[in-house]
Amino acid sequence: MRKVQLTETVLRDANQSLMATRLPYKDYEGILADMDKAGYYSIECWGGATFDSCLRYLGEDPWERLRNLRKNLPNSRLQMLLRGQNLLGYKHYHDDVVEKFIELSIKNGIDIIRIFDALNDFRNLETALSATMKYATPKTIASGCISYTQSPVHTVDKYIEMCKELKRMGFQTICLKDMAGTMSPYEAEHLIKGIKDAVGDMPLILHTHCTTGMAYMTITKAVEAGIDVVDTATSCFSGGTSQPATETMYYAFQQYGIDCGLDEETINKVNDFFKPIKQKYVDNGQLNPKSLATDSQALVYKVPGGMLSNMIANLTDMKAMDKFDAALAEIPNVRADLGYPPLVTPLSQMVGNQAVTNVLVGERYKNISKEVKNYIKGEYGTAPAPISDELLKKVLGDESPVDCRIEDQKRTGEDFDAAKDALGDLARSEEDIMSYICYPDQTVKFLKDRKAKEENEAVYTIEEM
Ligand code: CO
């Protein structure tokens, strides 16, 4: 019997996409024992924006969340998303920080580390991969992930070459990450057939979003073409900017005689559990029903949904919404000038802001942001296609762009020992120090709050006695 397994994303990407990752651990603790018996390929539950959200908005220690997930999901594969050398932040960290982060992630309970780089510059995956191998348990899987996008240089052949490279590097599975939900059924069919022919013995995973309305069709074609694993979300947290629905996929697969290993009763129970939780966030406004609708604009402009809403918010702030159409039309031009980077964090923000600036200033590239300058210098990695000569000249003058990983040229990341000294007795573990390296301000605030809370509790306990 043909087997296609499903990864449940409600604990990470589904709530990240629909409600800005604001789902607290306590909300879903009560369903973990059932989720552990559902039969998913894996449960995506950590990494991405969860780490930042825990510290910044939810007052949670992300590492403690991970240990609790591990304790309550003893039989499941716990999966995280990692931005390669950027870890879970927005800048490049030094190799020893990356290695320590991976060591602690595995130690606290992660099984599958899905590693990607915004530019698909796989040099930025090397350290994370070798650290994963170094600290691997028998359950650990290093999954190499490709940021999917469309452009004149992103051909089927190019993606096949990328997959061969990920295999050669030593990744155990390959994931195609279609963050904007713009992969069409036709593209999925040709891409996945091509990849399966080239690296057929490696499990292939499709991660897409319903944003543009194509995901169900795309997955149908992906399944026909031989995909092994698909990411889905429990149905009340599916659709719109999130993933397609787990139960719907189960139902459709059954009629094709495809075994996805799920227990029907359990996946329905999981959905029933999350329904009132979703309603709570719709009622309090954290889950905007707009994010549940289909938005086909992304197909025209190849711009992820989140990027559009960001642009609208910025232009509204500046009372310049009359420039929206011009800014939107400028995005593909900026992207072409920059060598067609995939529009995923942090490139989506950089390209979007530059397009807005070009239009508002009234002269293209009169102002160039620091981030875009660093990108042009090669500090993020190699662009998929050559950057325009005009821009290279403007930013670099007669210098050449960086031709190696930025870590090999200069030490950019924080030092673990320096961070330890900076925190003093606020830090009680290596995990605290790592949180500080990733998000210093939020972590200091979190650790101070933790200390104050404990001191209050101690006073209270003594008085009670
Ligand atoms: Co996603």
Side-chain angles (χ1 to χ4, degrees), residues 12-13 16-17 44 81 114 177-179 207-209 241 243:
R12 206 283 298 176
D13 202 7
Q16 179 171 327
S17 300
E44 195 197 39
L81 180 68
R114 179 183 284 176
K177 174 183 166 65
D178 174 26
M179 54 274 172
H207 174 90
T208 185
H209 288 252
T241 53
Q243 273 75 50

Side-chain angles (χ1 to χ4, degrees), residues 360-375:
L360 289 186
V361 173
E363 184 187 331
R364 305 189 74 222
Y365 305 112
K366 191 173 181 200
N367 297 342
I368 302 176
S369 71
K370 195 181 107 208
E371 289 80 14
V372 171
K373 278 183 185 161
N374 289 341
Y375 169 87

Side-chain angles (χ1 to χ4, degrees), residues 254-327:
Q254 257 199 331
Q255 295 185 341
Y256 283 104
I258 294 170
D259 174 22
C260 60
L262 292 180
D263 180 65
E264 187 176 357
E265 202 180 315
T266 309
I267 56 174
N268 286 324
K269 194 173 170 188
V270 170
N271 188 41
D272 285 339
F273 178 89
F274 278 101
K275 280 179 193 166
I277 295 176
K278 175 195 177 181
Q279 194 56 45
K280 180 171 80 178
Y281 293 107
V282 170
D283 292 343
N284 77 7
Q286 267 188 343
L287 200 164
N288 186 336
K290 257 191 201 160
S291 60
L292 292 166
T294 300
D295 181 356
S296 56
Q297 237 178 349
L299 294 175
V300 182
Y301 297 103
K302 307 294 181 207
V303 170
M307 191 172 154
L308 276 185
S309 48
N310 242 350
M311 250 174 71
I312 292 172
N314 289 346
L315 286 170
T316 308
D317 275 354
M318 293 184 279
K319 301 205 179 345
M321 261 311 277
D322 58 314
K323 299 282 197 311
F324 179 70
D325 288 340

